[in-house]
Amino acid sequence: MRTALLQSSGRPGSVVENLRVLDEAAGRAAAAGAGLLVAPEMFLTGYAIGDDIAHLAEPADGDSADAIAEIATRRGVAVAYGYPERAGDAVFNSAQLISADGTRLANYRKTHLFGCFEQDHFTPGEQPVVQAELDGLRVGIMICYDVEFPENVRAHALAGTDLLLVPTAQMHPFQFVAESVVPVRAFENQMYVAYVNRTGQEGEFDFVGLSTLAGPDGVARARAGRGEQLVLADADPAFLAASREANPYLKDRRPGLYGSLV
């Protein structure tokens, strides 16, 4: 499945403008043959917007979800995007996947919150593995810091995730995560990982870009630079099956030895 990675910070604080940017990118992605467009963490509203996070938070089935479903249907491409989710009194750092026919397929709430900023504004999610079927692939979702915990990604591997979507707000000086950690996660868990970052200065944060689609061989199929960019690469089920046959990490595990990890 051809996958488009939208590396952009949009316009922080403007849902209307970010929907416009997403619409334009979906059109470009579809024209390039992509079946899926992935946007960064908190793309709908912006990341470093302080108390506006709570003010702009919406339910998973809110007006913006309807607007993105309309974009997905009109452009003919599935869309995954980050946003602040309102559920009662709680606000979650969430990511949602909507199919090309407008169906809401999966909604994930970030389980590992990074730093005081996120811990002050969000409630952590409690469901580590969220998946959906899309064009013959089992697609999983997590967000940014989550991928830095090997247990998280291994849980997806054991649940059969083929393509892991990771909307991200990765900042300086942690660019080694995009450059090194993500390809290793893809290799050690035998899956594709789409790591899609924000870019540029936003409040106190300097987002580093470097979005990538890493394959199960640990090789980046696409790698963005530091600026606004739409990059495309393929997640190939046949290559994935062959790679899993050649690299039997999951078959060779010895779970009985790992009790001390939990």
Side-chain angles (χ1 to χ4, degrees):
M1 178 173 62
R2 180 151 294 179
T3 303
L5 316 182
L6 173 59
Q7 180 167 288
S8 172
S9 289
R11 182 181 294 175
S14 176
V15 172
V16 170
E17 177 62 14
N18 293 330
L19 288 172
R20 186 199 65 77
V21 173
L22 191 67
D23 187 14
E24 187 272 339
R28 291 166 56 202
L36 171 63
L37 170 68
V38 187
E41 181 176 5
M42 293 285 288
F43 182 76
L44 182 65
T45 60
Y47 181 90
I49 58 174
D51 291 340
D52 282 346
I53 289 173
H55 299 149
L56 295 175
E58 297 184 25
D61 60 353
D63 291 344
S64 292
D66 289 343
I68 293 171
E70 189 278 329
I71 290 171
T73 303
R74 176 163 43 80
R75 297 297 193 178
V77 61
V79 177
Y81 65 99
Y83 74 107
E85 178 191 355
R86 167 73 64 186
D89 292 332
V91 175
F92 298 94
N93 183 337
S94 295
Q96 184 152 227
L97 173 64
I98 296 178
S99 73
D101 67 4
T103 302
R104 293 175 49 244
L105 295 179
N107 188 69
Y108 170 78
R109 297 167 173 174
K110 190 173 186 177
T111 54
H112 295 75
L113 301 179
F114 179 78
C116 295
F117 178 82
E118 290 192 7
Q119 293 167 13
D120 287 346
H121 288 93
F122 298 108
T123 297
E126 297 294 335
Q127 186 173 355
V129 177
V130 172
Q131 299 170 308
E133 300 296 322
L134 184 67
D135 291 350
L137 292 174
R138 184 168 295 179
V139 176
I141 308 173
M142 61 177 56
I143 298 173
C144 197
Y145 193 39
D146 291 328
V147 81
E148 297 174 40
F149 293 81
E151 301 91 340
N152 262 16
V153 188
R154 180 51 54 89
H156 269 274
L158 295 174
T161 293
D162 300 315
L163 170 60
L164 183 62
L165 310 182
V166 190
T168 292
Q170 182 65 68
M171 60 206 62
H172 178 80
F174 305 111
Q175 50 265 33
F176 66 88
V177 175
E179 295 170 335
S180 301
V181 174
V182 168
V184 169
R185 289 286 179 269
F187 178 70
E188 69 190 3
N189 290 289
Q190 288 299 294
M191 62 175 62
Y192 287 93
V193 179
Y195 187 80
V196 188
N197 201 9
R198 305 179 69 82
T199 182
Q201 195 74 33
E202 191 177 327
E204 63 184 288
F205 306 111
D206 181 14
F207 297 115
V208 300
L210 302 175
S211 299
T212 188
L213 180 68
D217 54 358
V219 174
R221 298 299 191 274
R223 170 78 72 188
R226 296 298 184 97
E228 302 268 337
Q229 198 171 347
L230 184 72
V231 297
L232 296 103
D234 294 327
D236 180 356
F239 183 85
L240 179 59
S243 183
R244 286 172 169 172
E245 184 65 27
N247 298 281
Y249 282 126
L250 300 186
K251 295 178 184 176
D252 291 345
R253 290 172 67 252
R254 298 181 62 193
L257 300 180
Y258 311 147
S260 62
L261 295 179
V262 295

